[in-house]
Amino acid sequence: MDSFTKAIKRYLEKRFGNSIEDASERQIYQALMVITRDKLAEKRYHYINKLKESEQKRVYYMSMEFLVGKTLRNNLYNLGIESEVKNFLSENGFVLDKIYDIEPDPGLGNGGLGRLASCYMDALTSQEYPITGFSILYEFGIFKQVISNGWQQEFPDNWLDLGKYGLIYRSDEEVEIKFYGETKEQWTSDGLRIKYEDYTPIIAEPYDLMISGYETDAVNVLRLWKSKASGGFNMRLFEQGEYSKSVESKAIAESISKLLYPADDNNKGKELRIKQQYFFTSASLQQIVKMHYKAYNTLDNLAEKVVIHINDTHPSLCIPELMRILMDEYEYSWDKAWEITIKTFAYTNHTIMAEALEKWSVDLFRPILPRIYTIISEINNRFCKWCKDIGASVDLEEMSIIHNDMIRMANLCIVSSYSVNGVSKLHSDILKKDTFKSFNRIYPGKFTNVTNGIAHRRWLGQANPELTKYLNELLEVDFIKDLSSIENLLEYKSDESVINNLENIKKIKKVQLAEYIKKNTGLTVDTNSIFDVQIKRLHEYKRQLLNALHIIYLYKEIKYNALKPYPRTFIFSAKASSGYVMAKNIIKLICSISEIIEMDPEVRKYIKVVFLEDYRVSLAEKIIPAADVSEQISQAGKEASGTGNMKLMLNGALTLGTMDGANVEIYNAVGKDNIFIFGLSSEEVSDLSERGYRSEEFYQNSSVIKETIDFMRTLDNGDSNFNYMADYLVSRDPYMCLADFESYLEQQKLIEKTYQDRIKWGQMSLVNIANSGIFSADRATSEYVKEIWNIKKVK
Ligand code: GFP
């Protein structure tokens, strides 16, 4: 620790010519970021040497998104020096929490998928497994959201300005990526070779972010690639008069790592998206192969030493890229290259939503990546032939990788990986029985499940130090090291003093959140009210609209039927993809309800609606510990797993949910008396869809639905969209909010009643915390380690 504080002082002197007494907060921030990073890099040096010596198998985790969250607190916490640093700073007149606030939240992801990747990096590092993450160094991460008159507005997020201090630039490991051009077969004295001509070269510059683990010597790395033009412009083309082509590399390079693509925006900028995907997969693969060859002087044993994990289909171009490298650069035959490839890749599917299953048109794809296209096409030809040869009665229309001139990336992943997994039991069953049923038939044993998990050290240890401290004292077990031991809490279920203490901690977290709400929205919320929370990406299938409809119902009842409900604060936070009009309309609706209630003294005594703008990891860390109710109300069958549901449960919130994704497993873990379940099951949803869902029938046949929607229309003042949304619900309602509304209402009433029985609620909350052990990312990643990757800890 002494050396750490000395290093900080030295940095301030050398970099700014300042003593710590004269330093600004910004300088302290920079010093802390750089010194922490360098300390981790030093630790990594020893770790990587052990790893090299052991020659053990490693995992490479490919993901277009990593939502790492703020790094400084996480690293100090993991290094076990947070309190010393805090004291050192306070002795010198600085508050560590204020320094933490300076760090931007690197928004290199949209939601659950990206956060999961980071939870896994953290958990695997804490358990000392050798993993490297690969992604893109987006100059602009997900946009900053500002709500103006109820509508979302997007602003660029220039996170690197202050975030760059955590990164190490590795100029020695740049690689070149080839786009466009042509490939020609050429006979040489060594046989047939592929020659690349007239391509546009782009350089990938590597930047490393150190990933620390809790109480461990392991330090893994997240490598982020930044695109750069290769050597200015092409002289030959310029001389030939092809001016725009001559600077093509520069233009492409500037665009590739510029911006994170919003989820659900798959129809826009497809060409750039393909380039981004190939850019980072090619850079990563080239590096992996080069390192492997350097270590072993052969690639024959690649699959014994390397697993490449594909996080959803976005990195699926890894597959043809490995084939290309093996054949074109290391002279492997197709058969030998294929044998290695199919033993190297494992793929996780994260969604069955049709719009998210990536497909690229051949016409668009082929000119950008001609060689890669040929390889995919050959994989497909051979796969189709193999199906016929084995006499499989399979539907090639469904399974062919290229169909109707579209390349289906999920099919490519399934055919080329040795393992395919879903992210909750229900989701994995749906993949096997429905989405990919034909593949499951011809590849028995390939499909498996790993239910998601969360980094509890961040989501409990760091986000809720009050609860962590209390449980530490009470349980006398190191549940931060091993979350399964938190189940000891069950012994205290009948201990009223423990229930009271838990309630008091919840209250502290609610007060802290109330302050944040006041500061950021001006709204005063009652900390004795039920904090009812729905925080996640805004998407219709997640059904924020159903939640809003319930609030409208309460508003009507309070206003016209003298209902006096137990006070409740509805808290929302969510970003809508910039091109997703309906999602933006739902935000507008929620904000309008909030405003109307706030203007009505009669109603605001009972209910309040808060929309917190700019949802991000660090905001989730503030909201989750303060939540009483966790809204997990997606249409059954649509949410692959959910991970917010686990974080909220771990912090003692009770789940109000459908039997969807990992909610089903939460239900099994806590038992039916400790959760509020409502709505159609996924089979019932499918049946109803097949029969033809008509929301209007629900509107006509249920007086409560009819009255709520009719009332909703009366709220429209011309500047709001109540009428528009009412029409949408009655005429379309694609995710069946109306079909589940009454059953949702019933559970909401039960929540209100149960909450007032403080002992009962406290016991339910305790049971949730105590049973959250299985949702630790340590458990989830252990399953990947044993069932899929077959890797060992670095000793
Ligand atoms: C997606 C799925 C979630 C799942 C995560 C991680 O997240 O159900 O929990 O991936 O597997 F939809 P979002 O992009 O929807 O947040």
Side-chain angles (χ1 to χ4, degrees):
M1 182 57 204
D2 231 22
S3 66
F4 191 83
T5 50
K6 273 194 200 130
I8 290 177
K9 287 184 180 164
R10 215 169 34 245
Y11 184 87
L12 291 169
E13 284 161 20
K14 267 177 60 187
R15 185 81 180 76
F16 304 112
N18 258 354
S19 67
I20 187 153
E21 291 83 46
D22 302 323
S24 66
E25 284 184 344
R26 169 74 168 65
Q27 290 170 341
I28 296 284
Y29 160 76
Q30 187 172 324
L32 272 178
M33 286 292 283
V34 170
I35 302 301
T36 310
R37 176 196 76 189
D38 292 350
K39 190 172 167 63
L40 288 171
E42 196 184 320
K43 269 183 92 174
R44 179 166 167 80
Y45 170 76
H46 300 288
Y47 169 75
I48 205 79
N49 281 344
K50 277 197 271 178
L51 180 55
K52 277 185 192 155
E53 255 168 52
S54 69
E55 297 203 329
Q56 67 196 89
K57 190 175 185 185
R58 306 182 188 196
V59 178
Y60 297 100
Y61 200 85
M62 302 289 163
S63 180
M64 286 283 274
E65 303 187 10
F66 279 90
L67 271 176
V68 286
K70 295 191 180 205
T71 60
L72 184 58
R73 189 186 57 185
N74 190 48
N75 289 336
L76 296 180
Y77 178 89
N78 282 342
L79 288 167
I81 56 172
E82 194 187 16
S83 55
E84 282 98 328
V85 172
K86 196 178 212 146
N87 293 340
F88 165 71
L89 289 186
S90 91
E91 282 159 17
N92 289 288
F94 294 99
V95 180
L96 182 56
D97 282 338
K98 280 176 81 184
I99 306 293
Y100 286 156
D101 285 344
I102 299 176
E103 187 183 357
D105 216 317
L108 312 182
N110 281 287
L113 176 138
R115 182 53 226 171
L116 187 82
S118 280
C119 278
Y120 284 180
M121 289 296 293
D122 290 350
L124 286 156
T125 308
S126 290
Q127 296 172 93
E128 305 178 326
Y129 286 109
I131 179 157
T132 303
F134 280 106
S135 194
I136 296 175
L137 185 72
Y138 302 104
E139 192 179 330
F140 296 99
I142 190 165
F143 59 86
K144 273 201 184 314
Q145 178 195 53
V146 173
I147 303 293
S148 165
N149 188 28
W151 293 101
Q152 168 180 296
Q153 293 194 333
E154 300 96 27
F155 293 91
D157 171 32
N158 194 0
W159 74 282
L160 277 169
D161 193 20
L162 285 163
K164 60 175 178 268
Y165 302 112
L167 299 169
I168 298 179
Y169 171 41
R170 292 292 308 268
S171 55
D172 52 319
E173 293 193 345
E174 284 186 359
V175 286
E176 186 190 82
I177 324 288
K178 298 180 173 72
F179 290 98
Y180 299 106
E182 277 174 61
T183 47
K184 293 214 170 104
E185 293 185 345
Q186 204 176 52
W187 285 102
T188 69
S189 51
D190 295 329
L192 188 65
R193 291 286 159 262
I194 298 295
K195 196 161 171 270
Y196 293 73
E197 286 180 355
D198 282 339
Y199 59 86
T200 307
I202 302 291
I203 300 297
E205 286 184 333
Y207 289 80
D208 288 350
L209 185 73
M210 299 290 136
I211 306 292
S212 58
Y214 176 71
E215 285 184 355
T216 164
D217 291 333
V219 179
N220 285 312
V221 150
L222 170 58
R223 169 151 291 191
L224 301 169
W225 298 101
K226 181 173 185 242
S227 55
K228 179 175 90 172
S230 169
F233 63 96
N234 185 325
M235 291 274 283
R236 188 170 63 83
L237 289 171
F238 195 85
E239 280 159 15
Q240 285 167 4
E242 300 214 40
Y243 306 118
S244 64
K245 238 188 143 193
S246 70
V247 288
E248 202 166 41
S249 164
K250 197 162 184 309
I252 298 172
E254 272 164 15
S255 61
I256 288 183
S257 56
K258 194 75 167 178
L259 186 71
L260 168 87
Y261 261 91
D264 315 311
D265 244 9
N266 289 337
N267 285 326
K268 289 206 201 119
K270 283 190 168 155
E271 195 174 323
L272 184 54
R273 178 91 180 167
I274 293 171
K275 285 180 192 155
Q276 286 189 329
Q277 297 190 348
Y278 184 64
F279 167 75
F280 103 94
T281 51
S282 173
S284 311
L285 257 290
Q286 289 188 55
Q287 199 215 318
I288 294 168
V289 171
K290 197 166 133 198
M291 262 171 46
H292 183 91
Y293 194 83
K294 197 171 153 209
Y296 300 100
N297 217 12
T298 175
L299 297 176
D300 291 358
N301 64 346
L302 188 76
E304 284 158 42
K305 300 288 181 187
V306 165
V307 185
I308 301 174
H309 202 92
I310 303 182
N311 197 30
D312 228 334
T313 55
H314 321 142
S316 53
L317 293 176
C318 277
I319 294 163
E321 177 64 3
L322 179 61
M323 288 294 288
R324 183 193 71 77
I325 295 174
L326 290 171
M327 293 187 303
D328 297 359
E329 293 178 16
Y330 289 85
E331 303 176 8
Y332 277 81
S333 67
W334 178 280
D335 288 341
K336 188 72 190 136
W338 183 243
E339 200 189 313
I340 295 172
T341 298
I342 54 172
K343 286 191 207 143
T344 303
F345 289 102
Y347 155 60
T348 299
N349 171 285
H350 291 269
T351 181
I352 56 157
M353 299 296 290
E355 78 257 23
L357 290 174
E358 290 183 307
K359 291 188 203 94
W360 305 121
S361 104
V362 171
D363 287 345
L364 180 72
F365 190 94
R366 189 166 32 191
I368 307 172
L369 300 170
R371 177 64 178 149
I372 293 298
Y373 174 75
T374 330
I375 293 171
I376 296 176
S377 172
E378 186 58 19
I379 294 175
N380 188 43
N381 292 341
R382 289 177 186 236
F383 166 68
C384 294
K385 180 172 178 300
W386 174 78
C387 287
K388 283 183 200 130
D389 289 351
I390 61 168
S393 61
V394 289
D395 182 357
L396 284 180
E397 284 223 349
E398 188 191 323
M399 297 188 356
S400 175
I401 297 167
I402 302 173
H403 180 67
N404 283 345
D405 284 328
M406 299 297 280
I407 314 172
R408 298 188 284 203
M409 304 318 273
N411 295 21
L412 174 65
C413 289
I414 297 170
V415 170
S416 321
S417 303
Y418 67 87
S419 165
V420 177
N421 75 285
V423 289
S424 73
K425 286 181 184 150
L426 177 69
H427 169 61
S428 297
D429 279 348
I430 293 175
L431 292 183
K432 285 204 272 191
K433 291 188 189 140
D434 186 11
T435 322
F436 300 129
K437 59 179 184 305
S438 310
F439 283 112
N440 185 44
R441 229 179 288 132
I442 59 162
Y443 292 127
K446 192 184 267 204
F447 284 80
T448 176
N449 173 58
V450 182
T451 299
N452 282 344
I454 54 166
H456 66 275
R457 296 177 192 94
R458 180 180 282 268
W459 295 105
L460 178 61
Q462 295 167 41
N464 200 340
E466 295 84 351
L467 181 57
T468 305
K469 183 164 178 284
Y470 175 64
L471 293 179
N472 256 326
E473 286 159 7
L474 181 73
L475 303 179
E476 294 178 349
V477 289
D478 191 356
F479 62 89
I480 288 295
K481 191 88 190 150
D482 172 12
L483 191 65
S484 66
S485 63
I486 204 169
E487 71 177 0
N488 291 6
L489 183 60
L490 282 176
E491 284 170 27
Y492 299 92
K493 193 179 164 194
S494 315
D495 187 331
E496 278 195 27
S497 70
V498 171
I499 301 292
N500 284 335
N501 288 338
L502 290 174
E503 188 180 345
N504 291 339
I505 291 168
K506 182 63 79 181
K507 187 64 189 287
I508 292 171
K509 299 315 280 183
K510 287 167 82 169
V511 170
Q512 290 170 0
L513 180 61
E515 282 162 11
Y516 180 90
I517 292 173
K518 179 80 195 167
K519 197 166 150 216
N520 286 274
T521 65
L523 294 173
T524 307
V525 298
D526 171 6
T527 52
N528 289 319
S529 67
I530 304 172
F531 276 21
D532 182 321
V533 164
Q534 189 171 19
I535 45 174
K536 49 185 81 240
R537 208 152 60 72
L538 213 137
H539 198 290
E540 285 171 88
Y541 84 78
K542 298 183 191 264
R543 299 203 295 192
Q544 282 92 347
L545 185 53
L546 177 61
N547 189 344
L549 201 58
H550 168 240
I551 304 171
I552 294 171
Y553 161 85
L554 285 178
Y555 181 44
K556 167 180 74 75
E557 291 297 298
I558 296 166
K559 200 123 179 88
Y560 298 107
N561 292 327
L563 179 76
K564 295 186 171 37
Y566 187 87
R568 220 193 275 217
T569 305
F570 294 93
I571 298 166
F572 293 87
S573 197
K575 286 181 184 174
S577 170
S578 53
Y580 190 175
V581 177
M582 186 45 74
K584 289 185 161 178
N585 265 291
I586 295 170
I587 295 180
K588 170 69 179 170
L589 182 78
I590 293 166
C591 294
S592 302
I593 301 170
S594 171
E595 211 175 291
I596 291 176
I597 291 175
E598 207 45 34
M599 288 186 314
D600 194 329
E602 222 183 305
V603 181
R604 71 170 183 238
K605 278 194 290 201
Y606 301 104
I607 54 174
K608 289 239 172 178
V609 177
V610 177
F611 189 96
L612 288 173
E613 63 187 9
D614 206 29
Y615 186 53
R616 60 199 181 279
V617 175
S618 57
L619 180 53
E621 287 168 0
K622 292 190 170 71
I623 301 172
I624 288 170
D628 294 309
V629 176
S630 156
E631 299 258 1
Q632 307 300 334
I633 60 178
S634 50
Q635 184 189 35
K638 294 293 185 299
E639 188 69 275
S641 162
T643 44
N645 44 5
M646 302 168 185
K647 295 164 196 164
L648 284 151
M649 167 199 194
L650 173 66
N651 280 278
L654 302 190
T655 305
L656 165 59
T658 47
M659 278 302 228
D660 199 14
N663 294 353
V664 178
E665 285 155 80
I666 295 180
Y667 170 91
N668 291 332
V670 300
K672 66 174 185 359
D673 297 334
N674 297 298
I675 190 167
F676 301 92
I677 294 291
F678 72 96
L680 300 175
S681 67
S682 67
E683 288 92 9
E684 287 166 340
V685 167
S686 303
D687 290 349
L688 182 51
S689 284
E690 248 162 56
R691 292 202 308 275
Y693 173 63
R694 293 194 52 232
S695 56
E696 204 190 338
E697 284 169 13
F698 285 83
Y699 169 77
Q700 294 298 352
N701 298 335
S702 152
S703 58
V704 54
I705 294 178
K706 188 165 189 312
E707 282 164 19
T708 306
I709 293 206
D710 292 350
F711 172 72
M712 184 173 169
R713 293 185 185 282
T714 67
L715 299 174
D716 207 306
N717 64 1
D719 181 43
S720 50
N721 58 359
F722 289 100
N723 260 322
Y724 176 77
M725 295 305 290
D727 286 344
Y728 186 66
L729 279 166
V730 176
S731 65
R732 295 216 33 222
D733 188 21
Y735 296 97
M736 302 184 182
C737 292
L738 298 193
D740 278 349
F741 185 66
E742 288 193 45
S743 130
Y744 180 59
L745 212 60
E746 212 176 280
Q747 288 304 302
Q748 286 285 21
K749 285 182 183 154
L750 186 58
I751 283 179
E752 191 189 327
K753 183 161 163 267
T754 316
Y755 189 82
Q756 292 172 70
D757 181 344
R758 298 308 296 140
I759 293 297
K760 184 164 184 211
W761 186 273
Q763 287 177 328
M764 291 171 76
S765 171
L766 177 147
V767 169
N768 271 266
I769 300 170
N771 285 297
S772 58
I774 52 166
F775 299 110
S776 164
D778 293 352
R779 187 274 311 152
T781 52
S782 298
E783 289 179 19
Y784 279 98
V785 161
K786 287 198 196 80
E787 315 292 334
I788 299 178
W789 300 334
N790 189 22
I791 53 164
K792 297 204 166 50
K793 293 185 183 221
V794 181
K795 282 275 180 291

